[in-house]
Amino acid sequence: MALNLDECYDHVMGLVDEAGKIIAARNYGEKSVVEKSSNIDLLTETDQQVERLLMDGITAKYPDHKFIGEEETSAGKQAVLENAPTWIIDPVDGTMNFVHSFPHSCISIALLVNKVAEIAIIHNPVLNQTFTARRGKGAFMNGKQIRVSGETRLEHALATTEFGTSRDEEKTAVVLENIGKLIRVIHGMRSLGSAALNIAMVALGGADFNYEFGIHAWDIAAGDLLVREAGGVCLDPTGGPLDLMSRRFLCASTQELADKVIPLLTQYYPQPRD
Ligand code: IPD
Ligand code: CA
């Protein structure tokens, strides 16, 4: 029987709402924190609890569905994107923000069927911003339709990017080189501390492009559909097709703007891939 995507959406929205209340209630409190891949790649018990809540709640209704979740993957499970309905989940995107009570963290979740994104939800429960998209049905913030800015001029573009969660010297040099090149020509650069919320700003029309090397599938899967449904483009930073597992991402309000950003980017190929 064909999967009823309306039902999937409603079901997961209920879970995201419940999980968001846990994040919001704890945002301004003390957290116990452990380090993952580096001392700026953090994990709290909330990350694990929210991922469990979402996965258990989805499995209860859809026992055959698959998952690629940040915390399961960090704990050693191999991330494999199959044709079966697969939920790609970042339970808390912006964990560093959450640890510091900086109110920009979100749940980022996407459903892919046959490797095609059908549902995207990016929910910041602290500031009550909920970005949603369904394939072919547009992008929304808190129920109101959103569109990309349509900006084509590099000199007028506002960008979002991040410094990332790695201390690797070579990676850090590329990050700083790209920021250095871009800030000399564009209007400005912002870092919200959450890859998914940075991408959502492009969908909203608040920023004109976003790029990052080193992100994971769970940081970008929802943002990819959201931006495309808002009228923007999502690409590999060389201009080729986006590969969700490549840990490389570029999106822009227009292809014309993306074409102007691409030649300025020093490329980086994070290893291992997802
Ligand atoms: C990270 C954040 C950060 C970005 C990293 C992500 P996390 O996700 O989005 O802003 O620079 O690439 O991995 O660890 O907070 O879920
Ligand atoms: Ca996370």
Side-chain angles (χ1 to χ4, degrees):
M1 206 173 64
L3 184 61
N4 183 328
L5 291 169
D6 291 339
E7 258 177 37
C8 281
Y9 179 83
D10 290 344
H11 181 66
V12 83
M13 221 32 210
L15 295 169
V16 166
D17 195 46
E18 190 185 336
K21 289 195 172 89
I22 297 174
I23 297 171
R26 294 179 185 169
N27 188 63
Y28 296 106
E30 285 294 313
K31 295 103 182 167
S32 63
V33 182
V34 294
E35 295 169 3
K36 296 198 290 183
S37 63
S38 76
N39 63 351
I40 51 168
D41 185 14
L42 306 179
L43 173 70
T44 71
E45 61 188 3
T46 303
D47 298 66
Q48 287 170 318
Q49 196 181 331
V50 166
E51 184 165 301
R52 212 49 283 149
L53 185 158
L54 294 169
M55 287 184 179
D56 289 350
I58 292 168
T59 302
K61 192 167 165 68
Y62 303 106
D64 298 335
H65 285 197
K66 310 285 182 204
F67 296 100
I68 295 176
E70 174 169 18
E71 305 317 336
E72 264 194 2
T73 308
S74 301
K77 190 179 169 218
Q78 180 70 34
V80 187
L81 184 54
E82 301 177 51
N83 286 334
T86 302
W87 297 87
I88 303 186
I89 302 176
D90 191 336
V92 181
D93 185 48
T95 299
M96 178 66 84
N97 284 347
F98 178 66
V99 166
H100 286 266
S101 307
F102 188 82
H104 289 272
S105 50
C106 64
I107 296 166
S108 176
I109 180 164
L111 173 65
L112 276 69
V113 182
N114 293 318
K115 300 184 181 151
V116 174
E118 295 286 352
I119 291 173
I121 301 169
I122 296 174
H123 174 53
N124 176 345
V126 190
L127 298 182
N128 284 316
Q129 289 175 325
T130 309
F131 299 90
T132 55
R134 295 273 305 274
R135 183 168 66 90
K137 297 188 171 178
F140 299 82
M141 183 178 81
N142 296 348
K144 191 167 169 281
Q145 188 152 17
I146 55 175
R147 292 281 307 167
V148 293
S149 67
E151 183 62 65
T152 58
R153 297 162 301 176
L154 188 61
E155 323 75 64
H156 285 246
L158 189 64
T160 54
T161 196
E162 290 295 326
F163 300 96
T165 52
S166 156
R167 294 279 194 202
D168 179 85
E169 249 324 304
E170 191 197 343
K171 159 88 193 310
T172 305
V174 172
V175 168
L176 296 177
E177 194 175 313
N178 282 328
I179 292 172
K181 281 190 277 188
L182 286 164
I183 56 159
R184 289 181 164 85
V185 282
I186 66 176
H187 254 179
M189 179 88 82
R190 303 287 181 263
S191 294
L192 291 182
S194 153
L197 289 173
N198 283 341
I199 297 166
M201 289 304 113
V202 176
L204 181 63
D208 306 303
F209 71 95
N210 165 269
Y211 70 93
E212 189 173 342
F213 300 105
I215 36 72
H216 292 273
W218 45 82
D219 297 312
I220 57 174
D224 167 37
L225 180 62
L226 186 77
V227 166
R228 288 187 287 110
E229 286 297 327
V233 294
C234 298
L235 304 160
D236 179 80
T238 55
L242 175 65
D243 173 353
L244 274 187
M245 312 301 271
S246 71
R247 306 187 55 200
R248 298 160 46 81
F249 184 76
L250 168 68
C251 69
S253 63
T254 58
Q255 180 70 51
E256 199 177 329
L257 181 59
D259 289 341
K260 292 172 183 165
V261 174
I262 290 161
L264 291 176
L265 292 175
T266 299
Q267 299 290 325
Y268 185 77
Y269 295 83
Q271 295 298 333
R273 289 165 47 88
D274 279 336

